Amino acid sequence: MDVGTQVSLADITAARERIKGYIHHTPVMRCSYLDSIVGLQLHFKCENFQKTGSFKMRGATNAVKRLCETCGDGVAGSRPVVTHSQRLQAVKDYGGLVTLCQSTEQARKDTAQQILSRLGPHAILVSSAEHDDVIAGQGTVAMEFLEQVPDLDAMVCSVSIGGLAAGICIAAKALKPSIRLIGSEPKNADDCARSLAAGRIIPMLLHLSPLLTH
């Protein structure tokens, strides 16, 4: 399912049920020192404790499970699924195949298309952001967070290429319309802020090292 339909809270709820046996229910942690600096109560949803070390496990798992439901276990199991991950060793440890490329959206798209061409007509590309099932899976972060801390006034979410931010916005606003949602990104990778200011998409062309992006 490509982006084009509207992801709903029902989709995110279904995703949560679909992936619950495959992901961690990650903890929320506090830091009194950081609270004292900003004068607020901060709560951190620790997706760094998620399998593969990233929230991306949620969306990827939901997308693959949906393929199994749509195509049947046998068919989906024989179809390579191409996605993007920054936790290379964890992906390899789970048996995944990793292809490296530059850290730009265009480079990722070009590399993915090369892999699809090599694998043949039965290969399926699952975008890490522009796919409804991925967005629904990422939205489960907000569902968990609001159950753990129901009185949150705001959520600050990294934007990156948008999959996590989209899912969190949909789930959080559906569950708590009054909540304030804030997107954040590194100063040296501020393509979302620049795109919003310009009224058009400005892709990030700068190659960033893993150390800088993390």
Side-chain angles (χ1 to χ4, degrees):
M1 178 168 56
D2 295 326
V3 167
T5 59
Q6 183 174 349
V7 179
S8 67
L9 182 62
D11 296 319
I12 297 171
T13 301
R16 186 178 185 183
E17 182 67 22
R18 190 176 292 118
I19 68 178
K20 67 180 182 181
Y22 300 90
I23 66 162
H24 295 314
H25 188 284
T26 53
V28 173
M29 303 189 74
R30 299 285 310 280
C31 178
S32 59
Y33 176 69
L34 293 179
D35 286 357
S36 68
I37 293 176
V38 298
L40 298 168
Q41 292 184 356
L42 302 178
H43 303 262
F44 298 92
K45 179 66 170 162
C46 297
E47 283 295 292
N48 52 313
F49 294 146
Q50 188 55 262
K51 290 184 178 180
T52 73
S54 170
F55 68 88
K56 294 178 183 178
M57 184 69 177
R58 295 172 182 266
T61 301
N62 189 49
V64 171
K65 292 292 288 181
R66 282 277 287 148
L67 282 174
C68 292
E69 293 172 3
T70 303
C71 303
D73 289 340
V75 177
S78 65
R79 292 186 175 188
V81 177
V82 182
T83 187
H84 316 301
S85 176
Q86 298 167 336
R87 276 64 177 181
L88 303 183
Q89 191 57 50
V91 173
K92 292 177 181 178
D93 291 343
Y94 279 104
L97 300 177
V98 176
T99 300
L100 299 177
C101 66
Q102 286 192 333
S103 301
T104 66
E105 183 64 15
Q106 190 58 52
R108 288 191 290 266
K109 288 181 178 179
D110 291 344
T111 303
Q113 288 302 320
Q114 292 170 11
I115 295 172
L116 288 175
S117 298
R118 185 171 72 246
L119 292 175
H122 296 297
I124 298 174
L125 174 65
V126 178
S127 167
S128 60
E130 298 175 4
H131 194 286
D132 288 353
D133 293 330
V134 172
I135 292 172
Q138 317 302 35
T140 62
V141 173
M143 292 189 74
E144 287 182 16
F145 204 175
L146 283 171
E147 288 176 357
Q148 293 163 304
V149 192
D151 59 346
L152 284 175
D153 296 311
M155 283 190 192
V156 180
C157 171
S158 58
V159 176
S160 187
I161 56 175
L164 176 64
I168 283 180
C169 286
I170 294 166
K173 278 295 185 180
L175 293 168
K176 189 173 184 178
S178 63
I179 197 167
R180 184 182 180 191
L181 301 173
I182 303 168
S184 65
E185 57 187 351
K187 183 177 180 180
N188 290 333
D190 61 343
D191 50 305
C192 181
R194 289 185 289 110
S195 298
L196 186 62
R200 60 183 177 84
I201 295 177
I202 300 177
M204 186 181 70
L205 302 177
L206 177 66
H207 172 69
L208 299 175
S209 70
L211 179 61
L212 180 58
T213 57
H214 291 96

